[in-house]
Amino acid sequence: MPYDRFFVDAIAQLHAEQRYRVFADLERIAGCFPRAIWHAPNGQREVVVWCSNDYLGMGQHPSVIGAMSETAKRLGTGAGGTRNISGTSHPLVELEIELADLHGKEAALVFTSGYVSNQTGISTLAKLIPECVILSDALNHNSMIEGIRQSGVEKRIFRHNDVGHLEELLRTVGRARPKLIVFESLYSMDGDIAPIRRICDLADRYEAMTYLDEVHAVGMYGPRGGGIAERDRVMHRVDIIEGTLAKAFGCLGGYIAGTATLIDAVRSYAPGFIFTSALPPPICAAATASIRHLKVSQVERQNHQDRVQRVKAELTAAKLPVMASDSHIVPVRIGDPAKCKAASDMLLAEYGIYIQPINYPTVARGTERLRITPSPCHDDIMIGQLVAALSDVWHQLGLPHESAACAAEIRDHRAKS
Ligand SMILES: *Cc1c(COP(=O)(O)O)cnc(C)c1O
């Protein structure tokens, strides 16, 4: 049997579609984010990272690093097993209390990643609700889609952020049947925001439960970093909030928060919780330090938004096709997979700027883009260099400049999906 051939063919297919992915070999420099060392084919070189989801640079915060190293010295490295065997450590218990408090919920449950929390959280919840129907936003993240698939329950997809369509679907399912509405607060590829309040209104009217992924908002929005739902004062109306410790909190892990009973049920039934080793104590302690810091400190959030506004304004002034975004995500449209990769390669090799190309299937074909994520650590000089480099690359590759047209096109694309 030519087993190797199968894999060779699969990889060739990706090359043919121009979406074979290559990772840059980087070492971020703690204390100097967003600077990193790039291990290039021809030697090492310093670059500036413009696409990290460590949005606030908390991965280099002294108190977060301090908590991690101090806890490793005291408690050692690993968790020692699954929570059911011997993996529950005191830092993990403290972390869950911190998370429940962050979202104003009775309890929280930590998983090894945000991906796992969605996959096993949604599938377990839906299975525990008899006759459950899931209503899911068309642009939900793969981890939510896998959770829905794994639950095996009936699902209905509503058009992205379209409350009219959601209501239509809720009406057809009817009030009597249990329903779970699954959606995100901030969609990370377009940077647009869900109408959480209106979705909660519908949930009330049709007696549905709500499950909200706040992965791209926790730490960054709301007076204590509770996310968009906190900012919009609707956090108490969402039944289950899911988040990650790996993006703005700069660590690793995921969680859900909700009522004590719901959390206890997921804890007791979720395979993705029961059969995998717990998060190591040093990571739990670091995440707790990061959350605690961002609950009281506004400076990271303020500087973050300030940097984002400046990047958007400078890119727009340079007539680069910035896609309209309501948040800290700054997508710049290219619309072609080969050119998107070429632009990314040129930025890295010629300008020392690292921005990963975003191609299908992460985004729809024809909407390939560079996704820029400014952080509080990007200074004015870096922003100036970014805009100059992008302008050069746009010129060299003959890329389009019109931004209003492409924003409309992206909207059409979304409506159709
Ligand atoms: C990144 C991401 C996740 C997964 O979180 P991890 O902690 O990275 O596993 C879940 N949902 C969304 C919307 C994401 O972008």
Side-chain angles (χ1 to χ4, degrees):
M1 208 49 98
Y3 288 109
D4 216 44
R5 187 80 235 154
F6 302 143
F7 308 126
V8 170
D9 289 349
I11 292 165
Q13 174 74 27
L14 295 178
H15 280 295
E17 292 175 17
Q18 289 170 319
R19 56 187 188 92
Y20 179 76
R21 296 179 189 214
V22 181
F23 301 143
D25 179 354
L26 296 169
E27 264 179 65
R28 294 197 296 166
I29 309 165
C32 300
F33 285 8
R35 295 182 198 281
I37 302 293
W38 175 36
H39 291 260
N42 54 355
Q44 297 185 12
R45 174 172 172 194
E46 194 178 299
V47 299
V48 174
V49 178
W50 274 102
C51 57
S52 176
N53 281 348
D54 183 352
Y55 293 118
L56 301 177
M58 291 304 287
Q60 70 175 352
H61 196 283
S63 65
V64 178
I65 297 174
M68 188 176 290
S69 50
E70 184 272 331
T71 307
K73 284 190 188 117
R74 259 186 329 115
L75 280 77
T77 53
T82 67
R83 297 281 290 271
N84 287 279
I85 303 295
S86 69
T88 290
S89 64
H90 187 62
L92 182 43
V93 173
E94 282 188 322
L95 172 60
E96 287 176 340
I97 292 168
E98 203 65 45
L99 288 166
D101 172 76
L102 175 66
H103 294 293
K105 303 293 178 201
E106 288 172 5
L109 191 67
V110 167
F111 302 83
T112 45
S113 74
Y115 192 98
V116 172
S117 63
N118 272 335
Q119 186 187 25
T120 205
I122 293 170
S123 68
T124 303
L125 283 166
K127 278 187 194 162
L128 290 174
I129 303 171
E131 297 287 302
C132 184
V133 181
I134 293 181
L135 296 112
S136 172
D137 187 285
L139 290 192
N140 274 343
H141 188 259
N142 175 272
S143 54
M144 304 164 89
I145 295 168
E146 285 301 320
I148 296 165
R149 200 198 309 270
Q150 203 179 307
S151 76
V153 310
E154 196 181 319
K155 66 160 195 281
R156 308 277 171 88
I157 313 290
F158 59 94
R159 287 190 296 271
H160 178 55
N161 280 349
D162 184 338
V163 282
H165 192 213
L166 173 60
E167 175 152 31
E168 215 175 291
L169 296 178
L170 284 166
R171 205 180 299 124
T172 51
V173 176
R175 194 165 287 146
R177 202 161 161 199
K179 296 163 291 296
L180 185 64
I181 304 173
V182 177
F183 63 119
E184 298 179 29
S185 62
L186 198 166
Y187 290 82
S188 74
M189 290 301 145
D190 293 328
D192 58 334
I193 290 173
I196 303 175
R197 182 183 306 275
R198 288 158 68 206
I199 291 176
C200 289
D201 289 345
L202 285 178
D204 287 351
R205 196 165 329 136
Y206 291 90
E207 293 187 42
M209 279 190 94
T210 45
Y211 180 107
L212 179 62
D213 175 318
E214 287 258 35
V215 160
H216 290 279
V218 287
M220 288 171 281
Y221 295 88
R224 297 203 313 155
I228 299 288
E230 187 195 22
R231 183 196 73 177
D232 294 354
R233 299 166 191 272
V234 288
M235 201 159 66
H236 61 288
R237 298 189 58 196
V238 178
D239 294 302
I240 305 123
I241 293 179
E242 184 271 344
T244 186
L245 306 171
K247 290 170 184 171
F249 293 129
C251 296
L252 181 73
Y255 62 91
I256 58 171
T259 66
T261 315
L262 181 146
I263 294 300
D264 197 24
V266 175
R267 182 187 72 88
S268 309
Y269 281 94
F273 174 82
I274 297 169
F275 298 105
T276 191
S277 293
L279 220 54
I283 295 178
C284 299
T288 300
S290 184
I291 297 162
R292 280 185 184 154
H293 179 85
L294 290 175
K295 272 181 184 172
V296 292
S297 174
Q298 303 302 330
V299 67
E300 289 83 6
R301 282 187 282 276
Q302 279 159 5
N303 289 345
H304 185 215
Q305 292 302 323
D306 172 75
R307 301 288 79 195
V308 169
Q309 293 321 318
R310 184 161 182 130
V311 169
K312 284 181 178 173
E314 292 210 10
L315 291 173
T316 305
K319 298 202 164 29
L320 287 156
V322 186
M323 292 161 59
S325 142
D326 311 320
S327 67
H328 62 280
I329 313 280
V330 186
V332 182
R333 196 241 191 193
I334 293 187
D336 176 274
K339 284 184 178 170
C340 195
K341 177 160 189 325
S344 169
D345 289 347
M346 280 170 74
L347 285 168
L348 187 57
E350 294 174 27
Y351 303 90
I353 287 174
Y354 176 54
I355 310 175
Q356 186 75 6
I358 308 280
N359 285 352
Y360 177 83
T362 309
V363 295
R365 289 185 211 270
T367 71
E368 292 83 3
R369 67 196 68 175
L370 296 176
R371 174 182 175 274
I372 299 170
T373 53
S375 77
C377 316
H378 290 91
D379 61 25
D380 289 352
I381 295 170
M382 288 171 185
I383 295 175
Q385 287 165 343
L386 169 74
V387 175
L390 283 171
S391 297
D392 278 359
V393 167
W394 245 247
H395 182 72
Q396 288 187 57
L397 294 175
L399 293 169
H401 281 273
E402 71 285 19
S403 76
C406 87
E409 193 181 312
I410 301 282
R411 261 196 306 279
D412 287 353
H413 223 106
R414 248 194 250 152
K416 278 187 228 122
S417 66

